[in-house]
Amino acid sequence: MANVVVIGAQWGDEGKGKITDLLSRSADVVVRYQGGVNAGHTIVVDGKVLKLHLIPSGILYPETICLIGSGTVVDPKVMLREIGMLMENDIDISGLQLASTAHVTMPYHRLLDQAMEEKRGAQKIGTTGRGIGPTYADKAQRNGVRVIDLLDEDRLRERLLGPLKEKNELLNKIYGVNPLNPEDVIEEYLGYGKRLSTHVVECTRTIHEAARNRKNILFEGAQGTLLDLDHGTYPYVTSSNPVSGGACIGAGVGPTLIDRVIGVAKAYTTRVGEGPFPTELQGSLNDQLCDRGGEFGTTTGRRRRCGWFDGVIGRYAVEVNGLDCLAITKLDVLDELNEIKVCIAYELDGKTIEHFPSCAESFARCKPIFKVLPGWQGSTAHCRRLEDLPSTAMNYLRFLAELMEVPIAIVSLGASRDQTIVVEDPIHGPKRALLSC
């Protein structure tokens, strides 16, 4: 038995969906522990592209329980749309479960999110406009609606009418947005509750029952470490905790239940939205990585900003998550380059630093100090064993492992399931990885 957390070690979009899907074949339970529909996972199975925002990637395995945990915020309209998409593709959803205590993204959350971002103007933070921040804000203010409230009309009225009156005044008087009709909202969301009711469970009971029965549990985070509300590049962050510690809170488990933490990182770095990005590339090289890597957001479709691998934020991710091993994705995107740069430190105000600065303004002034490595200029897309990789590609991976002081367990060389080198299965394998420094 092994209980494993999968987290993003950069700014999200690292390919966690594919790695979670890969590991789910060994998992009995997959738990999504934070975030909302602002996240997106793209999985390619038998040439079929499936895009998920809320439902855990493990849903593709019919025997796996897929639980949307209490730490997530759920847009029921989007969830039902995903369920419909999966059913159209003949995917069994009988194992899908939804925590009764997860908070619900309401229509006024989306309206407020979009209106506030527009109001920020030049100071915008790059929100997706999906209502995630306002949903978490209401949760923290003890003013939110939870999934369990959608199952009872009287309770929904009690929970909704006061906040909705306040939100309507805010929308109308501050942002000039037409108010919502309470009866329409109640009718719509009771309908969602009725359709989702067969999936609603008590989150912690499900997880702890699985743990008592010595089942393998996989905890799936959304976004990435540098978007963490407390430990990321604030204020250009998400509204929850994607770091490994967030799994304990969002799923309702103690840290002693977690056996291993695997971090997912691209062989380069990307970021979507606003905020500092020291290794960001411009011009044709940025376009080359973006086009070869298909760097467009699953949720928003926005073009991602591309840059060289940043070892400073990588080491930071190792520290704040307690990473045991790494999955390196999209190594194949670098196949055509004759040289590859890796950031090993920053120059900040004339001084060399090797740590991630907590101040966003200081981070914006950081200039990367690079180590230049030779490229391999050959295709890796068909490699299935470490021995198949060009020696220069192997040296690149070893350099990343040495820089981050964490062994590499998985190397991904494309979007499909089979385009993967599994050095060690983090769930069933021993506590060691063969590709290390």
Side-chain angles (χ1 to χ4, degrees):
M1 181 193 76
N3 300 322
V4 177
V5 181
V6 178
I7 62 96
Q10 296 163 322
W11 274 287
D13 307 311
E14 301 95 346
K16 295 184 299 298
K18 176 183 175 178
I19 302 303
T20 305
D21 171 62
L22 182 73
L23 297 178
S24 294
R25 66 187 181 187
S26 302
D28 301 296
V29 181
V30 180
V31 183
R32 167 75 180 276
Y33 62 83
Q34 52 77 222
V37 296
N38 56 339
H41 289 162
T42 301
I43 304 166
V44 180
V45 182
D46 299 328
K48 191 177 296 183
V49 179
L50 301 174
K51 296 186 177 183
L52 300 172
H53 301 274
L54 276 172
I55 296 175
S57 309
I59 196 66
L60 303 182
Y61 295 91
E63 302 301 319
T64 303
I65 293 175
C66 289
L67 173 60
I68 300 174
S70 298
T72 55
V73 292
V74 178
D75 187 325
K77 186 175 183 179
V78 174
M79 184 173 173
L80 286 165
R81 189 162 62 231
E82 287 189 16
I83 288 174
M85 179 271 293
L86 292 169
M87 293 177 69
E88 287 173 6
N89 284 278
D90 297 320
I91 293 170
D92 182 6
I93 62 163
S94 59
L96 179 61
Q97 299 185 359
L98 172 61
S100 61
T101 49
H103 278 249
V104 178
T105 296
M106 303 298 290
Y108 48 80
H109 291 135
R110 291 190 295 271
L111 292 172
L112 280 170
D113 197 1
Q114 295 160 14
M116 288 189 293
E117 181 75 344
E118 184 178 351
K119 196 83 167 179
R120 292 184 185 107
Q123 282 73 48
K124 64 181 180 178
I125 58 176
T127 173
T128 62
R130 300 300 200 269
I132 308 304
T135 309
Y136 276 113
D138 274 1
K139 176 180 179 177
Q141 292 173 346
R142 287 87 72 196
N143 210 21
V145 174
R146 301 192 298 175
V147 168
I148 197 170
D149 299 324
L150 305 185
L151 308 182
D152 183 274
E153 181 174 353
D154 291 339
R155 188 164 57 233
L156 180 59
R157 284 184 179 278
E158 181 181 351
R159 297 297 306 160
L160 181 67
L161 292 181
L164 182 53
K165 181 180 179 181
E166 175 189 317
K167 296 300 190 297
N168 273 338
E169 290 185 8
L170 186 60
L171 286 166
N172 188 244
K173 294 179 181 179
I174 302 298
Y175 298 109
V177 177
N178 291 332
L180 296 164
N181 184 305
E183 294 303 320
D184 290 345
V185 175
I186 289 170
E187 181 180 0
E188 179 182 0
Y189 278 75
L190 283 174
Y192 294 149
K194 184 176 181 179
R195 293 170 65 188
L196 290 171
S197 61
T198 56
H199 299 285
V200 177
V201 299
E202 294 185 18
C203 174
T204 54
R205 178 180 294 182
T206 298
I207 295 172
H208 288 282
E209 182 177 339
R212 281 193 296 272
N213 291 325
R214 302 188 62 78
K215 302 293 186 180
N216 294 317
I217 306 173
L218 186 64
F219 298 89
E220 174 187 15
Q223 289 93 28
T225 299
L226 275 295
L227 292 178
D228 188 89
L229 180 61
D230 292 296
H231 304 290
T233 50
Y234 191 89
Y236 305 101
V237 294
T238 193
S239 301
S240 58
N241 295 107
V243 295
S244 60
C248 296
I249 297 170
V253 301
T256 54
L257 190 70
I258 307 299
D259 297 304
R260 304 193 73 184
V261 182
I262 179 170
V264 185
K266 282 177 182 166
Y268 50 102
T269 309
T270 61
R271 179 168 197 171
V272 68
E274 309 300 319
F277 185 1
T279 67
E280 184 172 11
L281 291 163
Q282 304 294 336
S284 60
L285 192 49
N286 174 78
D287 294 340
Q288 181 180 351
L289 292 182
C290 188
D291 293 340
R292 278 186 58 83
E295 299 297 354
F296 299 89
T298 303
T299 299
T300 64
R302 289 183 291 184
R303 189 179 180 90
R304 295 174 186 141
R305 302 152 63 190
C306 296
W308 297 117
F309 189 93
D310 190 329
V312 179
I313 68 169
R315 289 192 298 265
Y316 178 71
V318 171
E319 293 173 350
V320 298
N321 292 292
L323 296 186
D324 291 293
C325 56
L326 288 167
I328 298 294
T329 64
K330 296 197 174 184
L331 183 70
D332 57 300
V333 175
L334 305 180
D335 282 353
E336 297 179 354
L337 303 180
N338 63 347
E339 67 175 30
I340 302 167
K341 295 181 179 179
V342 177
C343 175
I344 58 174
Y346 299 142
E347 179 187 321
L348 176 59
D349 301 334
K351 297 181 179 179
T352 298
I353 63 170
E354 296 183 351
H355 65 274
F356 168 67
S358 57
C359 173
E361 289 75 19
S362 296
F363 189 48
R365 297 198 305 275
C366 287
K367 299 176 182 178
I369 298 173
F370 288 117
K371 169 78 172 179
V372 181
L373 301 171
W376 43 95
Q377 294 185 288
S379 176
T380 59
H382 300 290
C383 298
R384 297 296 179 268
R385 303 174 304 162
L386 288 179
E387 307 89 81
D388 298 335
L389 290 171
S391 60
T392 317
M394 280 289 292
N395 290 338
Y396 180 69
L397 291 172
R398 285 196 180 97
F399 183 79
L400 297 187
E402 180 179 2
L403 181 65
M404 295 177 68
E405 299 182 346
V406 174
I408 296 172
I410 297 171
V411 181
S412 175
L413 303 155
S416 296
R417 277 177 175 172
D418 67 323
Q419 293 180 298
T420 312
I421 298 172
V422 179
V423 186
E424 173 210 340
D425 185 331
I427 293 181
H428 284 317
K431 276 203 168 186
R432 59 184 178 84
L434 301 180
L435 185 55
S436 62
C437 58

